[in-house]
Amino acid sequence: MKSLKLIFVLSSLIAGIAGISFALEIGNMITPDELQKLKSIGTIRAMARIDMAGLTGHSEFIYAAPGMMHTEIDLGILKMTQGFDGETAWIRDQNGQYMELTGGDRKNIISGVYMTGMCYFLDNCLSGQVQYAGDTTMEEISYHVFSAVPDFGDSLWLYFNTASRRLEIVEERLDEISIMNYLSDFRMIDGMEIPFVSKSKSSVPQLNMTAVTDTIEFNVPVDFSLFEMIPEGADNFVFPVDRDSVVVPFVYHNGHIFLKASINGLPPEFFILDSGAGTNVVDREYAEKIGLKPEGDLPAKGIAGYGSASLTRIDSLAVGGVMIYDEVVGVIDFSAMALDAPGEIGGVLGHDLLSRFPIKINYADSVMVLYNPETFVPPDSSLGIDFEYIMKIPLVNARYGDVDGKFLIDLGNPFSLILHHSFVEDNDLAKTFTNIDTMQGNLGGVGGLSDVYAATGDDFQIGAVRISKPPLLIAQSETGVIGSLRVNGNMGNLLLQEFELLLDYKGKKIYIMALNK
């Protein structure tokens, strides 16, 4: 998620142009000569120094008209690559895993590409709608403000200084969080005035960052294969020889799935299986105990807000005879969560385990089956429920009562069905609730707590599966996952435990099957 923000900041660095003859329609804000300069730019290559979340490093950014992008980010322990080929948005994450970006993550990339190409001025670029939004004053500086909505992208607000006629501020939303990108240190490059410094500020300190351009070049030769998602290289795991699957027992306790896993060959500890975690995570106290060294202070988006996470590198992670090598994992302080666990908690197993292997979960028998991805044969695809990703978490279309919504599949949620307050209010769903209990307390984890109340809900349908009158929690927070503008609710273990699940991350399908009782 942080990497998506970085793409936008780098895009903002080269999004300003001076010498504009100002009018209240953005098409009249640029002279014919300046427009010809823009249209003559076929490619852009920029190198920048990055300071964010306690990490420093550099990035390389390549753009090709009319709307392709490739970015490599190197912050030491955090190395990522992202691309957009005009249709497909993708990421190669810190552990070398390729994933196509969908939903809100894809929209964020498109908005960044739109800014990079200065498409708000051009008719041969990514299309969108631009409208004058009025004038405003910030810190005694007057600005003309334009709203820009790229097709299939997120809304943006462009602040042009009325005196200098420069684009000095770009406002964006990262889901429920507003971020202001301040552009400065303008320099002339090939007849165009370009900002060399971008500083982003938001209500979440871990999202703030500074990017300083070292070099920028126009119309350089480009290898267009850079923009395509072409997974390469071997996965850094070993599956038991001549095995199509392995069975891993788990302890199902208080709504959590606890698995035994070993880090760096040490005695195994309990880890929580959590599809709501965008990476594998180690508890900070346990990390210190086994000699791991955390780095950075990155944003960790929890159910009710934002917390802090660091990164560290482990040599190996072993689960049920399967070994994952040389992996970057998160480090989070679990002490404030007051987890009721069957033993010492080592951490969380999230996307970095689930994305490598198709996984079946049988709650009744308390076993998880890991399938060898080389030999796995998926069930009839017509039985599967398609999902997209948001922050590496599966997000499915489902129906509450007669209202469609988007719901997370969250195996780290020990409750049943959580509905977000905005979804309830926007669709007047409270009238469908019975057995309302307003004394239910708080819901939370990383990032804080949310007030909630409990109720019995209307029927809930996902795919062909219909669940009659599920127990609900209605969450009130306006930040974190609960406050997301792109998610309406969250399906947890108490809802899913009545079924057998098969998660196929590569195929982007979940199979929800009846238990054999």
Side-chain angles (χ1 to χ4, degrees):
M1 183 175 174
K2 182 62 181 180
S3 62
L4 299 178
K5 174 68 191 79
L6 177 58
I7 294 299
F8 191 89
V9 168
L10 293 174
S11 302
S12 300
L13 282 169
I14 55 178
I17 180 169
I20 295 168
S21 178
F22 221 96
L24 295 184
E25 291 195 12
I26 206 163
N28 298 325
M29 291 173 58
I30 185 169
T31 69
D33 287 345
E34 291 159 349
L35 185 60
Q36 284 303 114
K37 289 179 182 178
L38 280 181
K39 287 184 176 180
S40 71
I41 297 176
T43 63
I44 303 170
R45 179 178 180 269
M47 302 287 290
R49 287 170 283 133
I50 307 297
D51 184 352
M52 71 176 213
L55 301 172
T56 58
H58 62 271
S59 66
E60 180 181 26
F61 184 95
I62 299 173
Y63 169 85
M68 293 180 282
M69 177 275 298
H70 175 94
T71 299
E72 294 186 8
I73 304 158
D74 186 347
L75 297 173
I77 194 169
L78 180 61
K79 295 179 174 65
M80 292 187 180
T81 304
Q82 288 184 312
F84 182 69
D85 63 5
E87 180 63 32
T88 300
W90 55 272
I91 184 173
R92 182 178 186 266
D93 69 15
Q94 72 275 13
N95 288 310
Q97 297 295 298
Y98 284 84
M99 184 176 75
E100 180 180 350
L101 298 174
T102 56
D105 297 338
R106 181 177 185 270
K107 292 175 70 173
N108 189 268
I109 288 284
I110 290 174
S111 295
V113 177
Y114 181 86
M115 288 300 301
T116 303
M118 291 173 265
C119 297
Y120 42 87
F121 284 136
L122 302 172
D123 57 8
N124 61 341
C125 194
L126 296 184
S127 59
Q129 300 295 318
V130 183
Q131 292 185 333
Y132 173 65
D135 289 352
T136 190
T137 299
M138 299 174 61
E139 298 183 359
E140 300 183 352
I141 299 175
S142 177
Y143 295 97
H144 293 300
V145 184
F146 288 80
S147 66
V149 185
D151 291 350
F152 310 108
D154 282 325
S155 297
L156 309 164
W157 289 265
L158 314 180
Y159 292 70
F160 290 86
N161 186 310
T162 58
S164 67
R165 293 176 295 180
R166 293 169 173 159
L167 176 60
E168 294 185 350
I169 303 173
V170 180
E171 181 180 0
E172 59 164 327
R173 293 194 68 87
L174 193 62
D175 202 352
E176 83 284 13
I177 300 295
S178 178
I179 298 176
M180 306 294 287
N181 301 286
Y182 297 90
L183 312 179
S184 61
D185 189 14
F186 288 79
R187 306 180 194 178
M188 294 299 297
I189 303 293
D190 292 346
M192 297 181 62
E193 195 171 27
I194 302 297
F196 267 57
V197 174
S198 175
K199 293 185 178 181
S200 64
K201 296 182 180 180
S202 72
S203 60
V204 180
Q206 296 91 341
L207 287 173
N208 299 344
M209 66 174 293
T210 299
V212 179
T213 298
D214 288 321
T215 61
I216 182 168
E217 301 172 284
F218 298 136
N219 294 321
V220 296
V222 167
D223 178 359
F224 280 77
S225 67
L226 288 173
F227 306 116
E228 302 175 10
M229 187 176 75
I230 307 175
E232 55 188 19
D235 276 308
N236 58 333
F237 68 84
V238 174
F239 208 87
V241 177
D242 298 329
R243 297 282 298 277
D244 292 329
S245 64
V246 296
V247 177
V248 183
F250 62 76
V251 176
Y252 188 47
H253 179 68
N254 281 349
H256 282 300
I257 297 172
F258 292 93
L259 299 164
K260 282 292 186 83
S262 171
I263 289 181
N264 295 349
L266 296 171
E269 301 290 354
F270 281 110
F271 282 70
I272 298 172
L273 185 66
D274 184 2
S275 58
T279 186
N280 292 339
V281 176
V282 177
D283 172 54
R284 189 172 296 275
E285 182 178 345
Y286 181 64
E288 293 175 356
K289 176 181 174 181
I290 64 176
L292 301 178
K293 296 180 179 180
E295 298 181 43
D297 181 22
L298 285 82
K301 188 171 185 176
I303 194 167
Y306 285 80
S308 294
S310 301
L311 296 175
T312 193
R313 185 176 294 278
I314 61 175
D315 292 330
S316 65
L317 171 71
V319 182
V322 174
M323 189 82 73
I324 301 174
Y325 292 99
D326 190 25
E327 182 179 44
V328 175
V329 299
V331 181
I332 291 176
D333 185 1
F334 285 15
S335 62
M337 299 183 197
L339 288 168
D340 181 5
E344 183 176 356
I345 293 292
V348 167
L349 301 177
H351 177 269
D352 289 325
L353 175 72
L354 294 161
S355 63
R356 285 176 167 85
F357 314 101
I359 289 178
K360 184 167 67 176
I361 299 165
N362 186 308
Y363 292 91
D365 295 337
S366 293
V367 294
M368 176 181 74
V369 181
L370 296 174
Y371 291 96
N372 187 334
E374 298 296 325
T375 60
F376 174 71
V377 178
D380 183 343
S381 61
S382 66
L383 302 176
I385 301 166
D386 294 326
F387 65 74
E388 63 185 52
Y389 290 107
I390 180 169
M391 301 176 298
K392 298 185 176 180
I393 304 170
L395 182 70
V396 298
N397 294 318
R399 190 172 182 84
Y400 174 86
D402 59 359
V403 180
D404 293 326
K406 291 184 176 292
F407 295 82
L408 298 175
I409 302 292
D410 186 1
L411 302 182
N413 168 12
F415 304 104
S416 181
L417 179 63
I418 299 173
L419 299 183
H420 297 175
H421 76 285
S422 58
F423 182 62
V424 171
E425 292 179 2
D426 292 347
N427 295 286
D428 193 22
L429 299 183
K431 64 185 180 184
T432 69
F433 300 161
T434 58
N435 303 319
I436 297 173
D437 182 355
T438 59
M439 303 298 293
Q440 203 62 31
N442 294 318
L443 170 72
V446 174
L449 300 173
S450 170
D451 291 334
V452 298
Y453 65 91
T456 300
D458 203 346
D459 290 355
F460 183 74
Q461 184 156 355
I462 172 172
V465 175
R466 190 174 187 87
I467 302 168
S468 178
K469 308 297 182 184
L472 305 177
L473 289 180
I474 296 84
Q476 305 297 301
S477 178
E478 295 184 357
T479 59
V481 175
I482 293 170
S484 172
L485 304 176
R486 297 166 175 163
V487 178
N488 302 125
N490 184 310
M491 300 168 57
N493 285 324
L494 291 188
L495 185 80
L496 299 171
Q497 68 182 9
E498 302 302 319
F499 305 93
E500 186 175 61
L501 305 182
L502 176 60
L503 286 163
D504 179 10
Y505 272 49
K506 297 293 186 187
K508 289 193 289 189
K509 287 185 181 292
I510 180 173
Y511 301 82
I512 302 178
M513 301 164 286
L515 286 170
N516 294 320
K517 296 183 179 179

